[in-house]
């Protein structure tokens, strides 16, 4: 896949319900434009695994399929976006997830607009992946990921070459703790109640771009790349 090393792509926000393909697409944008994926889910799972104070506060909430508090998540994102690898742009995957987080992000980016030391464009490209409900259930229950390299698979749609082993490094694939059927329902409910308004927020300000996420992975990627290219042309 062709890489673009020099372009400032600025912030890109990927919205969509659990299982929509945000992580899968974020990794492809990262490979092409060489900007980091900032996945709040991955960052929180890392904190849980490390047993940090944040991880201890988030663990039970995540296991129930509910959202971690805005204060904790926004502070975690603030720390991550300060890192130098975010200066040319970054892909927010799983953030913002509440209207309060979306307002907080706009305020943060507004501040940066007046900070000439940070060249990153202020306003994000906001892309929502839309996927049919039954397809989401199938994707979530079939999801597996590599604990070593983070690559995402699906036992139905994107299986590894050798059953349950990562194609890249041979590590045994894992199922996420919250991808169990009994946790999926509360996660989808949290999306409807708390995250759907985020799309409305961006829609009202004319910044929401919708992509049909039911399509094959490559087709979704092609459309996302086109949106990014159009935004910068
Ligand atoms: P999210 O980050 O939005 O929760 P993921 O990127 O982890 O979603 O994808 C969820 C599951 O669906 C994974 O198992 C992934 O391999 C699979 N998947 C992602 N995009 C597609 C697609 N366009 N078609 C079929 N399966 C997909
Ligand atoms: P998915 O890829 O299936 O959409 P994530 O990996 O993004 O799921 O998130 C997993 C869990 O981490 C969420 O169910 C929630 O508990 C927590 N989480 C992730 N991002 C946020 C956020 N922006 N605000 C609050 N909680 C979050």
């Amino acid at each position: 896949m062709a890489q673009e090393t020099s372009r400032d792509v600025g912030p890109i926000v990927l919205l969509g319900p659990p299982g929509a393909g945000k992580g899968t697409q974020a990794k492809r944008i990262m490979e092409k434009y060489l900007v980091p994926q900032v996945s709040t889910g991955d960052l929180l799972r890392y904190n849980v695994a490390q047993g940090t104070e944040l991880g201890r506060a988030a663990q039970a909430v995540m296991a129930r399929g509910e959202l971690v508090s805005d204060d904790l998540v926004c502070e975690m994102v603030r720390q991550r976006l300060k890192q130098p690898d975010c200066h040319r742009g970054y892909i927010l995957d799983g953030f913002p997830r509440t209207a309060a987080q979306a307002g907080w992000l706009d305020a943060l980016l507004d501040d940066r607009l007046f900070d000439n030391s940070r060249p990153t464009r202020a306003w994000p490209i906001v892309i929502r992946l839309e996927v049919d409900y039954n397809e989401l259930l199938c994707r979530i229950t079939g999801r597996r990921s590599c604990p070593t390299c983070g690559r995402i698979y699906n036992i139905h749609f994107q299986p590894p070459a050798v059953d349950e082993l990562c194609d890249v490094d041979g590590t045994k694939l894992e199922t996420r703790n919250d991808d169990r059927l009994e946790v999926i329902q509360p996660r989808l409910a949290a999306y409807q109640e708390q995250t759907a308004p985020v799309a409305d927020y961006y829609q009202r300000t004319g910044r929401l771009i919708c992509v049909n996420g039911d399509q094959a992975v490559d087709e979704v990627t092609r459309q996302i790349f086109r949106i990014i290219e159009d935004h910068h042309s």
Side-chain angles (χ1 to χ4, degrees):
M1 194 176 290
Q3 290 186 345
E4 300 219 358
T5 51
S6 56
R7 176 173 295 191
D8 278 7
V9 290
I12 297 170
V13 170
L14 291 183
L15 295 178
K22 303 180 296 295
T24 301
Q25 297 299 332
K27 287 185 169 48
R28 289 170 166 225
I29 301 170
M30 180 170 79
E31 279 168 18
K32 181 168 167 74
Y33 293 99
L34 302 181
V35 290
Q37 171 193 15
V38 177
S39 158
T40 42
D42 285 350
L43 289 170
L44 287 166
R45 280 186 287 277
Y46 176 79
N47 275 276
V48 170
Q50 296 295 308
T52 65
E53 196 178 327
L54 169 60
R56 289 197 300 277
Q59 188 166 22
V61 181
M62 291 172 74
R64 289 196 300 270
E66 295 166 11
L67 296 187
V68 178
S69 79
D70 290 333
D71 287 352
L72 290 178
V73 175
C74 289
E75 184 50 29
M76 180 181 78
V77 170
R78 185 203 307 280
Q79 295 303 333
R80 180 64 187 90
L81 297 188
K82 272 195 212 159
Q83 303 303 312
D85 63 334
C86 292
H87 280 192
R88 282 183 43 253
Y90 43 85
I91 309 140
L92 285 168
D93 159 11
F95 185 94
R97 230 176 174 106
T98 63
Q101 291 177 14
W104 177 89
L105 180 65
D106 268 358
L108 180 89
L109 295 174
D110 213 7
D111 276 353
R112 287 184 174 205
L113 196 55
F114 300 102
D115 178 357
N116 292 329
S117 65
R118 288 186 189 280
T120 301
R121 267 171 196 258
W123 301 119
I125 304 173
V126 183
I127 299 170
R128 180 173 66 181
L129 300 177
E130 299 178 321
V131 178
D132 173 78
Y133 184 85
N134 289 325
E135 170 78 12
L136 285 178
L137 290 183
C138 209
R139 287 191 190 178
I140 299 172
T141 49
R143 172 161 49 192
R144 302 287 182 277
S145 57
C146 174
T148 304
C149 71
R151 187 161 170 175
I152 304 164
Y153 296 87
N154 192 288
I155 56 169
H156 312 295
F157 308 117
Q158 296 183 293
V162 179
D163 225 17
E164 296 291 323
L165 297 183
C166 179
D167 293 347
V168 180
D169 46 46
T171 309
K172 186 159 173 34
L173 301 180
E174 289 182 344
T175 303
R176 263 170 52 177
N177 185 38
D178 58 352
D179 277 349
R180 288 170 294 126
L181 261 180
E182 63 272 28
V183 190
I184 293 173
Q185 196 52 46
R187 284 168 62 205
L188 290 171
Y191 178 80
Q192 279 311 327
E193 284 160 28
Q194 291 162 278
T195 310
V198 174
D200 298 341
Y201 173 87
Y202 288 118
Q203 177 99 61
R204 277 197 303 277
T205 48
R207 289 186 277 161
L208 185 70
I209 305 171
C210 297
V211 169
N212 175 4
D214 274 328
Q215 304 170 99
V217 175
D218 285 349
E219 180 55 24
V220 177
T221 307
R222 200 182 63 75
Q223 294 190 9
I224 290 176
F225 287 172
R226 180 156 12 106
I227 290 164
I228 296 171
E229 295 300 320
D230 286 352
H231 189 83
H232 292 289
S233 64

